[in-house]
Amino acid sequence: MASKREHDSYRDGYDEAWSAPQVPRPGYGDVLRALSRFERHSLRARIRLRLARGGVTFGTGADAMPFVVDPVPRVITADEWSKLGPGLEQRVAALEAFVQDVYESRRIVEAGVIPARAIDTAEGFEPELCGRLPEGVPAIGVAGLDVVRDREGRFLVLEDNLRTPSGFAYAAAARGALDLEPLPESDRRPFGEEAFAALGEALRQATPRGADPASAAVLTDGPQSSAYY
């Protein structure tokens, strides 16, 4: 169970697992009971060692840092997801419309919402794509939205990641490290096959009409990317 010191360290933030000492939030009771059989420091150490042996780091070379995985999962209840899910879909739809507009008609510039220089000097802007987005193909194949909670527990999007799906590999590595622990079978959920199947479908949808879907590929920044794994 959580100690008083651990609770005190989160007084200025939001403790997602505990509403008060010894009082788990909705959805966390079963999870915490399942994990109570483990000594948490040893559990974290084993997971950290597996990830290190697998070469899972954030950054590469001299800048490489350990990829830290918390064995306590982040629980989002069905009621929370019924609101969060549609909100994320709406956000990605708005981002898709923005990207399409940036590389095509630039109505957002014409309307005076964003100056052209803000787009043209953006680090991720690819001028060669202007006027060349395939018709009927989503510009955003994979969106990674960093969701956090404020101190009141409200969901906020900290950052929108639209360029490379780096989170897929990290999530698969984290699940692989956790799957070696003797957690109850009922607590396990499939991840790898479903996630990579979804990525494959996104690639197929991004294939221009008439092209061979087998020719689709994911382009990354390579080893210099901080999320290269």
Side-chain angles (χ1 to χ4, degrees):
M1 306 296 279
S3 67
K4 183 178 185 300
R5 177 180 297 179
E6 288 173 321
H7 280 292
D8 288 345
S9 67
Y10 289 100
R11 282 183 300 180
D12 294 332
Y14 181 82
D15 190 321
E16 298 209 42
W18 303 92
S19 59
Q22 314 302 324
V23 182
R25 293 192 186 277
Y28 273 94
D30 291 342
V31 172
L32 295 172
R33 278 190 291 273
L35 291 173
S36 65
R37 300 186 291 110
F38 299 88
E39 201 287 314
R40 63 180 182 274
H41 296 296
S42 297
L43 177 61
R44 289 171 180 163
R46 290 195 300 272
I47 293 172
R48 184 166 56 247
L49 180 60
R50 290 178 193 134
L51 293 171
R53 286 176 173 173
V56 185
T57 62
F58 192 79
T60 58
D63 297 327
M65 297 182 294
F67 182 70
V68 179
V69 173
D70 189 339
V72 180
R74 187 179 186 185
V75 176
I76 298 177
T77 65
D79 181 62
E80 290 174 325
W81 184 250
S82 68
K83 304 177 183 67
L84 178 61
L88 294 177
E89 290 181 7
Q90 182 187 51
R91 188 179 185 92
V92 174
L95 290 167
E96 170 70 22
F98 171 72
V99 173
Q100 292 280 355
D101 185 57
V102 161
Y103 287 105
E104 297 297 337
S105 59
R106 291 208 175 184
R107 289 174 296 174
I108 197 168
V109 174
E110 183 180 343
V113 178
I114 295 179
R117 66 178 181 277
I119 297 173
D120 295 333
T121 59
E123 181 181 356
F125 179 63
E126 300 288 350
E128 294 83 1
L129 291 178
C130 288
R132 296 181 178 178
L133 293 182
E135 184 179 354
V137 175
I140 300 174
V142 177
L145 279 59
D146 292 348
V147 178
V148 299
R149 292 185 191 261
D150 64 12
R151 63 180 57 190
E152 303 300 325
R154 294 171 298 193
F155 286 113
L156 302 173
V157 173
L158 181 66
E159 184 179 52
D160 300 298
N161 297 285
L162 309 177
R163 290 177 294 173
T164 55
S166 60
F168 273 83
Y170 284 122
R175 177 57 61 88
L178 285 167
D179 278 348
L180 293 176
E181 294 296 330
L183 296 173
E185 288 297 326
S186 60
D187 294 334
R188 298 179 187 271
R189 297 292 185 272
F191 171 79
E193 292 184 6
E194 293 184 5
F196 287 105
L199 176 58
E201 181 59 28
L203 290 174
R204 284 188 287 274
Q205 290 182 8
T207 304
R209 294 174 182 174
D212 180 4
S215 64
V218 175
L219 299 180
T220 76
D221 296 329
Q224 67 268 27
S225 171
S226 61
Y228 180 77
Y229 164 65

